[in-house]
Amino acid sequence: MAEGWRRDFNFVWAGETASLVGTQVYQLAMPLTAVLTLDASPAQLGLLGALTFAPYVILGLPAGLLVDRWQRRGVLILSSLGQALSIGAIPLLAALDLLTFGRLLALACAAGTARVFFTIAYRSYLPAIVPPEHLTGANSRLTASESVAEIGGPGLGGALVQLVGAPFALLVDAVSYLASALGVSAVRKREKPVRVDPAPLRSQVSEGFRFTFSSSYLRATLGEAASYNLCWQIVLTILTLFAVKELDMSPGTLGLMLSVGAVGALLGAAFTDRLAHRVGLGRTLVIAAVIGDLAPLLLPVAHRGTWAAPLFAAAFFVQGFGITACNVHTMTIRQTVTPERLLGRTNAAYLFVALGMKPVGSLLGGWLGTRLGLRGALVVGAVGLLSTSLFLVLSPLRKVRTLDSLRPEPPEEARAATPAGTP
């Protein structure tokens, strides 16, 4: 029985790997369904992106508290089935010639709602089935699966769109969530009874926000993440329409270009630690962010012809390398400076603000695409990205040499109560 955790983990790992591949197919096939099947406008694509991410803003904080009160295994199974049904309804409606843009919006929102609960529960479920001494190895396998999915998923999605059509490519994602539900269902070990924090929900939520905004380090990383998500979502909202309509790029080519970006992300994750040891953590953070912010400027320069695909490939590769290298360190910094008892609440507050910019960026991208044209909207989003690294450049983080110099920071009230002469 001592080794029984390996069986449980392998089932969860297999299901999650399938789900990760399906998600990559979804991220390409969903906007292509709107563009190629329903002839969506830039404003409609903005609305689709906004409703996809809106559940994170509306439900993220209460969902985090609810998941802490429920058995996470059950949450994962039900949320996986919810996503399978929501996404699987799209090709069914398309086959019956009943798919409309309004129904696509409703199903995207339903899938996003289920995804919020899945994402929050999954982050907390692994320690319940894997012994602490094996968590690093388990996380490494899941990270490897993410990299493989990000490299192969977009290419698979593009090929499927060309072979069977965008709505029917979404069947892969629906089936992947069924695999995820089956994997979690096969777990034999049951979680311990939940211990509910007696503190009022409002105080638990507000404590996470207070600590996040009282820390100079977290303010800097959150400012960079939120502004980046806003500007990058402007780009992503109209990128598919720009590639297909303006550049005459096939779905397969677009998927392949996105896969090139995932290769850059994998290399960024692999080499960023070595760079930090050589030039310092703060400098690596700033350099990586600036590199990642500069690369998307290549996108609006592309014109129909031979050089469009190479420009996209170069932009996605460099952007993937830089932003992933930056994100690896910002995540570690957050974990280092935050006291353990506040990690869940600060993560919830952090994600609420950072992901809350995505629906705003989607709506803004759709509006800019309508007002300025697709290329003009791309220029605004790409130029806006240049400002996001300023949050890191102007913060104390740029002078940090190693993680050893960072320590958990006490909440603002505790610092205020500490006598000036106290060491």
Side-chain angles (χ1 to χ4, degrees):
M1 189 65 185
E3 292 296 309
W5 70 268
R6 296 185 186 277
R7 174 196 175 277
D8 288 346
F9 170 73
N10 285 336
F11 273 109
V12 173
W13 181 26
E16 177 62 4
T17 299
S19 174
L20 289 168
V21 173
T23 297
Q24 293 298 318
V25 173
Y26 173 92
Q27 289 177 355
L28 182 64
M30 190 64 163
L32 284 172
T33 297
V35 171
L36 300 177
T37 304
L38 302 174
D39 197 25
S41 67
Q44 287 176 315
L45 285 176
L47 187 58
L48 177 62
L51 287 181
T52 298
F53 292 108
Y56 284 97
V57 181
I58 299 170
L59 299 174
L61 294 176
L65 296 174
L66 288 172
V67 165
D68 281 342
R69 295 165 179 255
W70 296 338
Q71 292 290 307
R72 286 154 188 161
R73 178 177 177 272
V75 174
L76 290 172
I77 294 171
L78 289 176
S79 58
S80 293
L81 293 176
Q83 291 180 88
L85 289 172
S86 301
I87 297 167
I90 296 173
L92 176 61
L93 289 173
L96 297 173
D97 200 25
L98 296 174
L99 184 62
T100 63
F101 187 72
R103 288 169 180 163
L104 188 70
L105 288 178
L107 291 169
C109 189
T113 299
R115 194 176 299 117
V116 170
F117 284 90
F118 182 90
T119 301
I120 293 173
Y122 190 80
R123 288 170 180 249
S124 306
Y125 185 58
L126 207 60
I129 62 172
V130 177
E133 63 271 21
H134 295 290
L135 268 177
T136 299
N139 278 315
S140 296
R141 294 181 186 182
L142 287 170
T143 301
S145 293
E146 290 176 5
S147 299
V148 170
E150 289 173 356
I151 292 171
L156 173 63
L160 287 172
V161 169
Q162 288 194 211
L163 287 173
V164 299
F168 303 104
L170 290 169
L171 274 173
V172 171
D173 194 29
V175 172
S176 77
Y177 282 113
L178 291 178
S180 177
L182 287 173
V184 178
S185 298
V187 173
R188 292 173 180 169
K189 184 177 180 180
R190 294 297 179 262
E191 301 164 72
K192 296 178 181 179
V194 178
R195 295 181 60 185
V196 179
D197 190 334
L201 296 183
R202 180 180 296 180
S203 66
Q204 293 182 47
V205 171
S206 61
E207 189 174 14
F209 279 98
R210 283 198 304 271
F211 181 79
T212 298
F213 286 100
S214 68
S215 166
S216 59
Y217 299 135
L218 295 186
R219 282 200 308 271
T221 57
L222 178 56
E224 187 272 338
S227 59
Y228 185 89
N229 283 343
L230 174 69
C231 297
W232 184 237
Q233 199 61 36
I234 292 174
V235 173
L236 288 181
T237 298
I238 42 87
L239 184 65
T240 301
L241 194 58
F242 176 75
V244 172
K245 299 293 186 182
E246 295 284 332
L247 305 182
D248 198 25
M249 193 175 289
S250 70
T253 301
L254 180 58
L256 183 60
M257 297 306 98
L258 292 171
S259 295
V260 171
V263 174
L266 184 61
L267 292 176
F271 289 102
T272 189
D273 192 45
R274 300 181 190 178
L275 185 61
H277 282 298
R278 285 195 172 188
V279 304
L281 174 61
R283 288 183 180 177
T284 300
L285 196 66
V286 170
I287 291 170
V290 170
I291 289 174
D293 291 345
L294 283 170
L297 288 173
L298 292 174
L299 297 174
V301 175
H303 286 79
R304 185 175 302 186
T306 307
W307 288 100
L311 280 174
F312 266 52
F316 288 135
F317 181 87
V318 177
Q319 184 261 356
F321 181 95
I323 294 306
T324 302
C326 176
N327 287 343
V328 167
H329 292 299
T330 55
M331 174 65 75
T332 306
I333 288 168
R334 284 164 52 197
Q335 293 170 336
T336 301
V337 304
T338 306
E340 184 177 357
R341 74 175 189 87
L342 293 178
L343 275 172
R345 291 165 223 188
T346 55
N347 280 334
Y350 195 97
L351 292 175
F352 176 81
V353 177
L355 294 181
M357 290 295 102
K358 288 196 171 188
V360 178
S362 294
L363 292 174
L364 188 55
W367 181 80
L368 288 170
T370 302
R371 294 286 182 174
L372 304 179
L374 301 178
R375 194 179 301 275
L378 273 181
V379 170
V380 172
V383 171
L385 285 170
L386 295 177
S387 65
T388 65
S389 57
L390 290 176
F391 284 96
L392 302 176
V393 173
L394 300 177
S395 79
L397 279 173
R398 63 186 172 84
K399 298 180 180 179
V400 173
R401 181 72 188 177
T402 65
L403 277 174
D404 293 337
S405 60
L406 298 175
R407 292 290 183 270
E409 299 183 338
E412 194 174 42
E413 314 91 74
R415 293 202 301 269
T418 303
T422 302

